[in-house]
Amino acid sequence: MLSIYTQENDRILSSTIHTEGEVLPACQLGAVWYDLYNPTRNEDNYVEQCLSLSIPTRAEMDEIEPSARLYNEEDAEFMTVTALSELDTDEPVKTPITFVLKGSSLVTVRYSEPLPFTTFASRIQKPGGPACTTGEMAMLGILEAMINRIADILERVGGAVDRFSHKVFRSKVRNATQKTLNLNAVIEQIGRKGDMLSMIRESLVSFTRLLSYHQAIAKGTTKAGKDVRQKMKILQRDVGSLTDHAAFLTNKINFLLDATLGLINLEQNQIIKIFSVAAVVFLPPTLVASIYGMNFDFMPELKWELGYPFAFFLMILSAILPYLYFKRRGWL
């Protein structure tokens, strides 16, 4: 799908171009933003014809080398970032998004639909929406929306981490089995949040690289206005702050993971200790019973009328004494 955003009378208007036939429609002059979402070959050709450039393929967008993600070609800047989609689910998705700046026009190439794109497109079409007179301003606006989205997700992850901490360190469950099951569930949730934080940090790194690259190009060409340069500095500071916050949350999650595993080990050790103590407690009675169960011809207690009560009492006493000893030492 190809959406084209143009400026008319201080307003941004959008239109959708369908290029299913072989004949391409006439190029719309003065377009600020060409948004290619899951583009067909004809849609790529249409934008290439309008701006005289080559649209990167999906395979080229997936390259991880900086030279393949950030480069100049045909008087245009090609910048690819790692964006995140479906952040409201338990299985967020990483997806490459390419920004192409040529002249005053922006081209975005994407194969998923992150929420910031929909939000930004809706905002710029409303009266009094953010200024979007050039493709560069549109790109910075999209990046700002994506960064704000990541900030919201980090705040949500931080709240979830606090809840995990409460479950781990303030659990009121006394049943050992149930407590272990709860901790196992917490580990799974912590793991999912840890994966999300890793993806967020990777995305923030790509934003930093894009902003640094574009800022260097803008300084070289002196095309960036004062407002644009200030906007880029603000975005860079925001990305840096979010990166630090994501690192803090990652460290906290690692601490919680280690603490949870430690508590599970303590619970398991407690169970093993109970079995060990039980074995030691029942060992002396077993020894007494074994002695009087030997089949020797001469055993004085065999003819004694009180022999059975004496042996029974001796077995009980030999079980109670180790128990009291363990209790006094605090091992139970």
Side-chain angles (χ1 to χ4, degrees), residues 34 40 59 73 87 112 125 128 135 138 164 177 212 227 229 251 301 305:
Y34 298 85
T40 63
E73 186 177 276
L87 288 172
S112 67
Q125 296 180 71
F164 297 155
T177 303
S212 298
D227 293 340
R229 289 196 300 269
N251 292 334
E301 291 85 354
E305 294 182 357

Side-chain angles (χ1 to χ4, degrees), residues 172-201:
K172 296 181 180 180
V173 178
R174 298 304 177 190
N175 183 277
T177 303
Q178 185 61 42
K179 187 173 183 179
T180 301
L181 291 175
N182 291 345
L183 291 177
N184 287 336
V186 169
I187 288 178
E188 293 179 2
Q189 296 171 355
I190 289 176
R192 286 196 291 267
K193 297 304 180 184
D195 290 341
M196 180 177 289
L197 284 174
S198 298
M199 297 169 68
I200 287 175
R201 294 180 71 180

